[in-house]
Amino acid sequence: MAPTTSKRVRNTVVRRHFIIGNEAHVLPHPSYPDPPPDGHTKGWKVFVRPLPNGPDITTWLKKVQFKLHHTYTDASRTIEAPGPFEVLETGYGEFGVEIRLYFASESGEKAVYREHYLVLAPYGSDEQKAKQEQDNLVVAEKLETVEFNEPTTDFFKTLTSEDQFNWLKVKKGRGKGKKPDFVFEGEVEPSAELAEKPFTGVSGVGAGAGGAWSKVYEDQVLRGLAQSAASLEQAVEEERRVMEGRRKRMEELGVAVGAK
Amino acid sequence: MTSGADIRAALGSDFAPSITPSLPRATPTQLSQAIPKNSSQPRRHKRNLLVARRGGKAVRWSYESTPVSSRRDQLQFRRWRRPKKDEEPEPFVKFAKYDVRAECPEYDAEIYEAHLTHADWTKDETDALIEAYSDSYGKWPIIVDRYDSGQPRTMEDLKARFYGVSATVLALTTPIHSMTGPQYTLYETLRNFDPAKEASRKKLAEGHLQRRQTEVDEETVLLGELQRIMINQANLDSEREDLRRRLDHPVAGSAGYQYHTSQALTQLWQQLLQTDRMKKNQRLRATGKLSCNNEAVSRHDANIASGNPVFDGLPGATPTSARPRDSIAGIPDSGAGSSRRPTRDSLPSATTPGSALPIDMSKADLERFGVVVAQDKTASGITFASDRLTKPRIAKSTLQTDKIATILTHAGVPDLIGLPTPKVIEQFDAIMAKVHTLLDMRKLAEKEEQEIRVRSAEAA
């Protein structure tokens, strides 16, 4: 076997977006065991999943370990590829879930930790809250981007192979087809980048499946940030003016003190 | 000078000399006997004892010249002397003991002929020299002054001749073996007289005598310097040696010395390449830069064989492996103009010093797979993009963190930004920069406010 010190691809970074988040429902809910255990009012699912239009996450993610609150039995839940990296549980309190990501062996990288705060209660603006209550669904997810800096050659190979998109494709006829099979909103080209528009993913549930992550959303965020930047710029200007005024005052005072 | 007569005339006849009463005559005592008879008038002249001694008569002295017996020459001295008396020893005799003669070599004509002949000196001259020496009791300044011969001779020459003669005569009289210690040393000194050296020595002394104070000072300074140098000389030498040793230190003890020339180096490199080629899986690969005139060659071979000829130096010698290897380096100038579609097994090259892109993928592919050809700085390992949205908010102290948080919320930046795409990150970085500027300005503002307060208190 070749030695483990394999060469790395220089000046390259491979980015993969994925989603860490959780869903929460008020019990009883069809997804969760009925009757719920004593005192548990909410059923929740914490997950790590890829972009709905993106390459297969198992290319680089081989195992995920969810560390729940110590009051749970078997607080350390490990999910291996391929199965969806999710943990379903019931409970009543919010806590931080430590998520440990194990990478594919070709990468030769150590596991990393991310933290996710389990949100169970409705949040956000009143409108959002109302909607959440109405749907009996609270979703809190974040887009994470893992950047593989200077990946090993083998890893790079797997990361750039076409096979990654096969999970999205539908077998058609003989062998692997190439027709992406999206029902809603027309075709969204499978890509590691964000989709152009928000769409509903394969699993059918829009927000939960990460369909909201799109370039449209990105633009929204950008606009918001641009506004903030502008207001900050204003504040800086304000400060500068005040500084000028102060400088003048200092000069006057200097003259006054000198004249004394 | 007034006399009695003048006073009488001035005072008139009234003035009668009063007779000073003389002392009452005492009876004849010793004192009165001592005083001679005519004591009424003071004595004017002492009695001449000398005259009394000879009875008042004058004696006739004689002034004649007489030879002096103790002198060599016939010089006649004339002096006054008393009339014939007993022969008293002539005064000159008393001084005769001081009439010491200088030692000088004695020889006669035969000896002269035998040993003492000299090119520049005739016998007469030599004799005259000897005589002058003995006359002036060996005082050379006098000799050189008095001595006169045909040729102008310096003192050194005279000395040289004299000493030479003395030495020879001395050797003749007492053979060398039987010379006593001092005699021998004398002999040696006489023999080793060097007129030139003496002359120069005297000139040097003269120069020393005549030099000015400035020169003296300069000389002392220089001497001091010299002394210091001499003292430290040993030290300096050892230090220099040490330094030299250190500079030359990496003594080529190893066999690496043979690779110092460029030829040797190329040879070494070729050796390495060769051994690598022999190996099963090659570690070193040729560069992928195709030269223009390789279009005829099949793509398969072209990739491998001719790399940069300057770099490789092995045109077409690399054995090809069975596995098809894709072209490696950034190939803008290759024969195929279209972008190359990556095969399933696109394999980036390991050592590609000349290439820009290690991977050959089309832009669309890069996007699809999320591959980014990074700029200069890349962290190693795994990083998360969302960190770049959270970490800048945290400052060293909680106070600072709070300040930053207030500014951000005031500006309307949400606590959690869920979409860490590159654009968002950029935007956020810009915002953070502004936040920092604002913080700095506010800090400055506080300081200046304080300053102003102080000054206005002063001015008031």
Side-chain angles (χ1 to χ4, degrees), chain B residues 90-391:
Chain B
E90 293 174 21
F92 288 112
V93 173
K94 278 191 271 180
F95 303 106
K97 67 180 174 192
Y98 297 114
D99 188 18
V100 181
R101 310 293 303 280
E103 272 192 31
C104 54
E106 291 168 6
Y107 53 85
D108 51 9
E110 290 165 18
I111 296 176
Y112 185 85
E113 289 302 321
H115 305 275
L116 298 173
T117 50
H118 195 278
D120 294 335
W121 290 77
T122 65
K123 185 167 188 312
D124 291 337
E125 285 177 338
T126 316
D127 288 345
L129 177 61
I130 305 289
E131 213 176 304
Y133 182 88
S134 84
D135 281 347
S136 47
Y137 188 58
K139 302 296 176 198
W140 287 103
I142 303 173
I143 297 171
V144 84
D145 201 36
R146 296 289 163 80
Y147 183 83
D148 187 23
S149 68
Q151 316 169 19
R153 289 213 170 85
T154 64
M155 182 156 68
E156 312 308 320
D157 293 337
L158 302 177
K159 267 185 168 178
R161 180 60 178 151
F162 185 79
Y163 291 149
V165 168
S166 317
T168 327
V169 167
L170 194 60
L172 283 174
T173 46
T174 50
I176 297 183
H177 321 286
S178 45
M179 275 199 213
T180 64
Q183 267 188 331
Y184 187 67
T185 45
L186 176 65
Y187 173 63
E188 282 301 309
T189 323
L190 289 173
R191 225 158 45 96
N192 298 336
F193 179 79
D194 181 15
K197 199 162 69 160
E198 289 296 307
S200 67
R201 183 178 67 83
K202 287 191 177 161
K203 207 151 70 112
L204 191 64
E206 176 97 19
H208 270 271
L209 188 65
Q210 301 295 342
R211 62 191 173 160
R212 303 199 216 334
Q213 182 60 30
T214 51
E215 287 175 31
V216 172
D217 292 337
E218 198 181 328
E219 272 194 36
T220 38
V221 164
L222 288 172
L223 273 173
E225 283 288 320
L226 191 64
Q227 212 171 17
R228 219 168 28 78
I229 291 175
M230 298 308 296
I231 289 171
N232 295 335
Q233 191 67 24
N235 224 10
L236 281 170
D237 277 342
S238 73
E239 276 179 10
R240 256 188 227 125
E241 199 46 57
D242 195 22
L243 193 63
R244 240 177 243 126
R245 232 181 330 109
R246 279 173 200 259
L247 281 174
D248 299 337
H249 172 61
V251 176
S254 65
Y257 73 95
Q258 48 179 317
Y259 298 125
H260 282 188
T261 65
S262 64
Q263 277 180 350
L265 277 174
T266 33
Q267 183 131 52
L268 175 66
W269 172 72
Q270 296 219 358
Q271 269 178 21
L272 289 175
L273 228 60
Q274 202 144 39
T275 43
D276 187 70
R277 257 183 280 131
M278 293 310 145
K279 286 205 200 127
K280 211 170 163 202
N281 35 342
Q282 294 197 350
R283 299 277 171 201
L284 310 173
R285 303 216 174 98
T287 59
K289 268 236 180 98
L290 298 181
S291 57
C292 308
N293 49 3
N294 265 353
E295 294 177 8
V297 186
S298 73
R299 186 177 294 179
H300 168 74
D301 288 325
N303 297 338
I304 299 146
S306 76
N308 195 343
V310 173
F311 191 76
D312 281 348
L314 310 161
T318 324
T320 63
S321 73
R323 202 156 44 116
R325 258 189 270 153
D326 240 346
S327 64
I328 298 162
I331 323 279
D333 52 351
S334 73
S338 62
S339 66
R340 296 161 183 271
R341 297 284 307 142
T343 64
R344 287 296 158 82
D345 310 54
S346 68
L347 180 67
S349 157
T351 59
T352 54
S355 56
L357 270 178
I359 327 103
D360 179 39
M361 295 175 78
S362 66
K363 276 199 86 167
D365 282 343
L366 288 178
E367 281 208 17
R368 286 184 73 223
F369 292 114
V371 180
V372 170
V373 180
Q375 314 75 17
D376 35 7
K377 54 173 174 81
T378 44
S380 69
I382 311 268
T383 52
F384 283 91
S386 60
D387 281 345
R388 293 190 62 188
L389 290 177
T390 52
K391 286 228 164 92

Side-chain angles (χ1 to χ4, degrees), chain A residues 11 13-16 114 143-149 156 160-162 165 192 213 218 225 228 233 246 257 260, chain B residues 359 368-370 372 374 379 381-387 411 413 418-421 427 431 434 445 448-449 458:
Chain A
N11 290 339
V13 176
V14 180
R15 283 211 198 96
R16 283 284 184 272
R114 296 309 283 179
L143 186 81
E144 277 281 2
T145 323
V146 61
E147 293 174 349
F148 297 102
N149 297 296
F156 188 79
T160 50
S161 79
E162 276 293 329
F165 293 112
W213 303 102
E218 189 185 4
L225 285 179
S228 314
E233 192 63 39
R246 257 208 314 281
V257 170
K260 265 187 74 176
Chain B
I359 327 103
R368 286 184 73 223
F369 292 114
V372 170
I382 311 268
T383 52
F384 283 91
S386 60
D387 281 345
V413 178
L419 193 66
T421 48
Q427 190 74 276
I431 288 180
K434 288 199 178 60
E448 289 189 355
E449 282 293 327
E458 244 184 77

Side-chain angles (χ1 to χ4, degrees), chain B residues 40 85 279 284 397:
Chain B
S40 59
K85 266 201 169 180
K279 286 205 200 127
L284 310 173
S397 66

Side-chain angles (χ1 to χ4, degrees), chain B residues 59-66 77-84 88 91-92:
Chain B
V59 175
R60 291 251 162 237
W61 284 57
S62 61
Y63 185 68
E64 285 130 19
S65 54
T66 42
F77 278 106
R78 289 182 301 180
R79 57 182 184 60
W80 290 100
R81 70 191 88 203
R82 283 174 163 263
K84 270 282 190 280
E88 55 194 22
F92 288 112

